[in-house]
């Protein structure tokens, strides 16, 4: 069977894409995970820069009581309870750390006086499902339980993640709903990785191109689920696209590129929230590759996406 033709990359992004070729995890196999883990990334100090923001680490109990670290990012002058943003980093279930994508957390601490908590969940394949999502849920429970001490309004806690962090955020939100856990005020899912079955058109369109392709996606899901990937033995918390009931979720923002593997599962997830009577805003950015808005923030399409995401956050927090 011939694979479907992918839509084109937006011209400005297409011109930038070759810059990422040396470190984009395309056609990543299990034996290459360590190589990608070892690639340099901006430190939290680099991401804070000269802004009056602090980052404080706490060691807390993760799943089954195993120690894990969370970092609390807030303005140095934070003095009264405000919104809390719980962040789950991306990395295909297998790489990166809690400071990947922390630029947004620093910006939102400054703009909204938010207290942001980012979690160092254990990664696959060393720690397969359900450990990553259960670690994330444990971190959310800790944040909610310590809201008063952290000067967070417990009724204004949002969850935010991109890529596999978007998938883990969606899974953590479902766990919170089903266990009557912390009540979330909103969920912000960037290009979420939520479907292990890899049966959509977009999951077949991107092979060997872009930032994250079909081969890498299969590698990430296999690391998380092993032989269970694609079978009936996968929970909705590991792969939220499998959830048949998306009622009872907080207001949700989802964005995704039209030129990436996760396009169709993201669109389907937003549609399923609407079908269940829920509140969701969906943006599909034409010609955008995976992670475009953080990888190429100066591009016109990235600026539009970042503006739309922040505008949703602003509207939500003004309620």
């Amino acid at each position: 069977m011939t694979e479907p033709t992918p839509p084109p990359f937006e011209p400005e992004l297409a011109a930038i894409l070759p810059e990422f070729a040396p470190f984009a995890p395309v056609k990543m196999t299990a034996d290459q995970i360590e190589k990608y883990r070892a690639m340099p990334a901006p430190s939290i100090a680099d991401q804070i820069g000269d802004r009056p923001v602090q980052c404080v680490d706490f060691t807390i109990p993760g799943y089954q009581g195993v120690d894990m670290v969370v970092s609390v990012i807030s303005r140095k002058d934070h003095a009264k309870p405000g919104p809390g943003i719980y962040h789950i980093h991306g990395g295909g279930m297998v790489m990166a750390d809690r400071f990947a994508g922390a630029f947004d957390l620093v910006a939102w601490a400054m703009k909204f006086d938010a207290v942001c908590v980012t979690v160092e969940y254990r990664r696959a394949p060393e720690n397969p499902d359900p450990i990553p999502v259960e670690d994330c849920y444990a971190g959310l429970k800790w944040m909610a339980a310590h809201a008063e001490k952290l000067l967070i309004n417990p009724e204004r806690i949002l969850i935010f993640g991109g890529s596999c962090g978007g998938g883990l955020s969606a899974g953590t939100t479902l766990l919170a709903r089903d266990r009557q856990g912390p009540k979330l005020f909103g969920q912000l899912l960037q290009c979420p990785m939520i479907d292990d079955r890899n049966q959509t058109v977009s999951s077949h369109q991107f092979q060997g191109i872009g930032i994250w392709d079909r081969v890498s996606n299969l590698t990430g899901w296999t690391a998380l689920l092993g032989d269970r990937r694609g079978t009936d033995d996968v929970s909705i918390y590991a792969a939220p696209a499998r959830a048949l009931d998306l009622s009872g979720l907080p207001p949700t923002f989802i964005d995704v590129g039209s030129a990436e593997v996760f396009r169709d599962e993201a669109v389907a997830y937003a549609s399923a929230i609407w079908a269940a009577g829920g509140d969701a805003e969906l943006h599909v950015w034409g010609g955008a590759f995976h992670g475009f808005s953080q990888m190429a923030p100066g591009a016109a399409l990235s600026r539009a996406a970042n503006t739309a995401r922040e505008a949703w956050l602003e509207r939500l927090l003004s309620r």
Side-chain angles (χ1 to χ4, degrees), residues 18 34 36 49 55 63 73 76 108 113 130 162 260 276 289 302 312:
E34 285 304 328
Y36 286 107
C55 177
Y63 179 49
I73 296 168
K76 288 180 177 176
W108 294 339
D113 197 14
E260 66 165 300
F289 53 71
S302 301
W312 176 84

Side-chain angles (χ1 to χ4, degrees), residues 237-263:
Y237 312 115
R242 291 174 171 266
L244 300 178
D245 174 15
L246 291 183
S247 62
L249 297 181
T252 299
F253 180 98
I254 299 174
D255 67 353
V256 70
S258 72
E260 66 165 300
V261 167
F262 299 134
R263 180 195 67 222

Side-chain angles (χ1 to χ4, degrees), residues 30-88:
D31 60 323
Q32 295 175 315
I33 290 172
E34 285 304 328
K35 177 184 96 169
Y36 286 107
R37 282 181 178 177
M39 288 187 174
S43 69
I44 187 58
D46 291 337
Q47 295 180 77
I48 291 173
D50 59 2
R51 288 174 286 188
V53 168
Q54 61 191 357
C55 177
V56 181
D57 292 345
F58 294 86
T59 299
I60 70 167
Y63 179 49
Q64 297 179 331
V66 175
D67 280 355
M68 68 177 185
V69 176
V70 296
S71 292
V72 178
I73 296 168
S74 61
R75 277 175 25 180
K76 288 180 177 176
D77 64 354
H78 181 72
K80 61 181 184 185
I85 298 175
Y86 184 63
H87 174 247
I88 303 176

Side-chain angles (χ1 to χ4, degrees), residues 52-258:
V53 168
Q54 61 191 357
C55 177
V56 181
D57 292 345
F58 294 86
T59 299
I60 70 167
Y63 179 49
Q64 297 179 331
V66 175
D67 280 355
M68 68 177 185
V69 176
V70 296
S71 292
V72 178
I73 296 168
S74 61
R75 277 175 25 180
K76 288 180 177 176
D77 64 354
H78 181 72
K80 61 181 184 185
I85 298 175
Y86 184 63
H87 174 247
I88 303 176
H89 73 80
M93 303 290 181
V94 299
M95 54 195 170
D97 66 19
R98 67 190 182 279
F99 298 128
F103 286 107
D104 287 327
L105 307 182
V106 175
W108 294 339
M110 288 297 299
K111 178 163 185 173
F112 301 116
D113 197 14
V115 175
C116 304
V117 177
T118 184
V119 59
E120 195 68 68
Y121 61 86
R122 286 169 285 174
R123 304 171 303 192
E126 298 89 342
N127 300 284
D129 177 66
I131 294 171
V133 74
E134 289 285 0
D135 273 354
C136 294
Y137 182 65
L140 176 65
K141 285 204 304 179
W142 177 87
M143 179 182 182
H146 292 79
E148 189 177 346
K149 191 178 291 185
L150 296 170
L151 290 179
I152 291 170
N153 179 343
E155 294 180 1
R156 294 198 157 227
I157 295 176
L158 296 94
I159 195 166
F160 161 55
S163 194
C164 85
L168 289 165
S169 294
T172 300
T173 300
L174 291 170
L175 280 172
R177 178 196 69 176
D178 294 347
R179 293 177 180 173
Q180 288 77 54
K183 188 165 172 55
L184 287 163
F185 189 62
Q187 63 170 341
L188 203 168
L189 312 178
Q190 279 183 275
C191 48
M193 176 180 178
I194 51 177
D195 196 343
D196 66 296
R197 294 164 294 193
N198 289 275
Q199 292 170 348
T200 64
V201 171
S202 62
S203 75
H204 282 275
Q205 282 181 312
F206 297 93
Q207 308 227 31
I209 57 171
I211 295 295
W212 178 259
D213 74 337
R214 179 177 178 81
V215 172
S216 302
N217 204 41
L218 291 168
T219 297
W221 279 114
T222 303
L224 183 72
L225 299 170
D227 293 340
R228 293 187 292 126
R229 177 181 60 76
T231 71
D232 292 337
D233 188 21
V234 175
S235 81
I236 64 170
Y237 312 115
R242 291 174 171 266
L244 300 178
D245 174 15
L246 291 183
S247 62
L249 297 181
T252 299
F253 180 98
I254 299 174
D255 67 353
V256 70
S258 72

